[in-house]
Amino acid sequence: MTDDNHESTEAPTIGTLVVDEARMRMGVVMDDVAGRLQIRPPSGGREWDADPTHVRSVREDEIARVRATTANATAIDTGAAAAQGRSL
């Protein structure tokens, strides 16, 4: 795994929020299988395999963006459910 200031050979742990620079996608590490990381988007969805050498920790500004996106998605889902007369 790499970050902005130094190179590290340490793989991220399960549950860590990371950026797969090869795919330019952010996700949560779900597993490490045969030397490949299984990563899932922060708001859920389909996992993908990533080469750990292309994965880095997220920066603080990226974390804030994920929180805002997740909050917006929840608000939209809640609003749509309320409009249909049901709760989530």
Side-chain angles (χ1 to χ4, degrees):
M1 181 172 74
T2 63
D3 73 27
D4 295 340
N5 299 322
H6 65 281
E7 195 79 24
S8 173
T9 58
E10 192 175 308
T13 58
I14 293 173
T16 303
L17 189 60
V18 296
V19 173
D20 177 354
E21 292 188 326
R23 293 182 185 233
M24 296 307 296
R25 293 181 68 186
M26 188 179 306
V28 178
V29 176
M30 303 306 291
D31 205 353
D32 182 344
V33 178
R36 306 272 304 167
L37 298 176
Q38 305 239 304
I39 301 174
R40 177 175 289 156
S43 58
R46 189 174 183 148
E47 291 179 6
W48 72 91
D49 288 344
D51 180 338
T53 63
H54 295 139
V55 173
R56 66 168 173 81
S57 299
V58 295
R59 297 184 311 261
E60 287 298 319
D61 63 309
E62 293 168 323
I63 292 171
R65 187 171 58 228
V66 168
R67 286 186 181 142
T69 300
T70 303
N72 288 338
T74 300
I76 290 168
D77 288 345
T78 303
Q84 295 175 3
R86 57 185 175 85
S87 63
L88 290 177

